[in-house]
């Protein structure tokens, strides 16, 4: 399907996908697809425009024509994200936005509408694709598929720290229940549920440092893409 190398990194919220994907992409000089951001953007725009979650045709049209721009912020690793010209970089990162994303993400026509956009993300060097269904649906022939997990407690702690570092205040107990709700919805939905691809390598990162996970993925990449 894709004639450029792809590493897919899937897993539940707080498993470290985003952090690991960014480091690996930078190391390899590849692009990174943060597919979760697309679902967060759709949810954000849908709420802004008052589109009903029952209106699947309108939702899919909105997702297909999503007016988004990613821009490297000066002096930072972070990509600034503009939706219809509005800077939503921080706005889409809250847990509320994550939960709203998981509701639109369960709607099959929305997923279909985002498929080509995700596959067209990079054809230049290589791609590290971060999400829930990168290995199962979007890039089924990827050369290396990783599925990251971690205990629910550890994932909540990581998300808590991540949100705090971004200046987003949220209580740990509230986060634990929000993450559990979101994971249940993502795993139990009919449309591309969160699950490892049959040929994915599963890594439980509960007791691993970021460096250890990066090293493990780098070694696997060297073995696979030799
Ligand atoms: O990864 P992130 O937390 O930004 O994803 C937000 C939500 O988007 C997830 O909870 C999930 O419902 C949805 N998502 C998805 N498929 C992807 C990436 C994200 O359904 N490939």
């Amino acid at each position: 399907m894709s004639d450029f190398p792809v590493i897919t990194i899937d897993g539940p919220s707080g498993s470290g996908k985003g952090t690991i994907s960014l480091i690996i992409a930078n190391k390899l000089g590849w692009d990174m697809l943060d597919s979760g951001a697309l679902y967060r953007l759709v949810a954000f725009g849908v709420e802004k425009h008052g589109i009903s979650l029952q209106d699947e045709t309108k939702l899919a049209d909105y997702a297909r024509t999503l007016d988004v721009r990613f821009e490297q912020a000066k002096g930072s690793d972070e990509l600034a994200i503009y939706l219809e010209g509005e800077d939503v970089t921080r706005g889409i990162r809250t847990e509320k936005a994550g939960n709203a994303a998981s509701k639109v993400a369960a709607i099959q026509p929305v997923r279909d509408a985002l498929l080509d956009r995700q596959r067209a993300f990079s054809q230049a060097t290589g791609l590290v694709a971060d999400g829930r269904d990168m290995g199962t649906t979007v890039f089924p022939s990827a050369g290396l598929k990783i599925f990251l997990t971690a205990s629910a407690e550890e994932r909540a702690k990581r998300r808590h720290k991540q949100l705090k570092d971004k200046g987003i205040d949220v209580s740990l107990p509230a986060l634990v229940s929000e993450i559990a709700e979101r994971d249940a919805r993502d795993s139990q939905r009919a449309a591309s549920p969160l699950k490892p691809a049959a040929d994915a390598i599963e890594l439980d990162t509960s007791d691993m440092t970021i460096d250890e996970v990066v090293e493990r993925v780098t070694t696997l990449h060297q073995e696979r893409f030799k």
Side-chain angles (χ1 to χ4, degrees):
M1 179 175 298
S2 51
D3 45 13
F4 53 98
V6 178
I7 299 176
T8 59
I9 304 191
D10 290 302
S13 171
S15 57
K17 294 173 291 119
T19 308
I20 301 300
S21 299
L22 187 62
I23 297 174
I24 300 282
N26 283 340
K27 260 183 105 165
L28 296 172
W30 290 7
D31 284 314
M32 176 184 159
L33 165 62
D34 171 4
S35 61
L38 295 177
Y39 291 97
R40 286 171 183 263
L41 286 161
V42 171
F44 199 92
V46 158
E47 191 180 330
K48 178 173 154 191
H49 295 293
I51 301 172
S52 157
L53 289 190
Q54 314 304 322
D55 191 341
E56 296 197 346
T57 309
K58 261 202 190 145
L59 288 172
D61 279 349
Y62 184 74
R64 193 172 305 107
T65 57
L66 197 65
D67 172 10
V68 58
R69 202 172 79 243
F70 295 89
E71 226 171 66
Q72 190 73 52
K74 275 201 190 99
S76 151
D77 273 354
E78 201 178 26
L79 279 184
I81 307 180
Y82 295 87
L83 179 67
E84 294 152 23
E86 180 193 351
D87 185 347
V88 295
T89 317
R90 282 170 54 97
I92 61 162
R93 293 299 167 193
T94 64
E95 265 317 288
K96 185 169 167 269
N99 241 308
S102 122
K103 288 183 188 150
V104 298
I107 301 169
Q108 186 68 56
V110 170
R111 306 197 72 83
D112 294 343
L114 290 177
L115 199 55
D116 287 344
R117 190 186 284 260
Q118 294 176 82
R119 286 187 177 151
F121 218 77
S122 169
Q123 316 211 340
T125 46
L127 186 68
V128 181
D130 151 7
R132 304 291 187 292
D133 64 339
M134 298 295 100
T136 51
T137 306
V138 182
F139 298 106
S141 55
L144 176 61
K145 299 179 184 178
I146 306 287
F147 193 87
L148 295 184
T149 58
S151 67
E153 198 190 11
E154 180 60 31
R155 292 190 288 113
K157 271 199 223 147
R158 288 179 190 171
R159 281 292 292 159
H160 189 247
K161 179 170 184 312
Q162 211 174 36
L163 290 170
K164 250 180 104 179
D165 289 349
K166 285 189 201 285
I168 300 172
D169 203 18
V170 59
S171 85
L172 188 58
L175 200 53
V176 170
S177 67
E178 276 172 5
I179 286 183
E181 188 194 326
R182 185 142 71 95
D183 285 348
R185 193 182 303 116
D186 290 348
S187 313
Q188 288 159 18
R189 69 187 178 208
S192 288
L194 166 69
K195 67 165 187 206
D199 52 348
I201 295 165
E202 291 188 48
L203 288 181
D204 184 340
T205 67
S206 304
D207 297 317
M208 290 172 85
T209 63
I210 292 173
D211 284 351
E212 285 168 343
V213 182
V214 168
E215 201 185 311
R216 182 90 183 88
V217 176
T218 306
T219 307
L220 288 164
H221 161 262
Q222 284 161 353
E223 287 168 11
R224 290 288 173 94
F225 289 84
K226 258 193 304 224

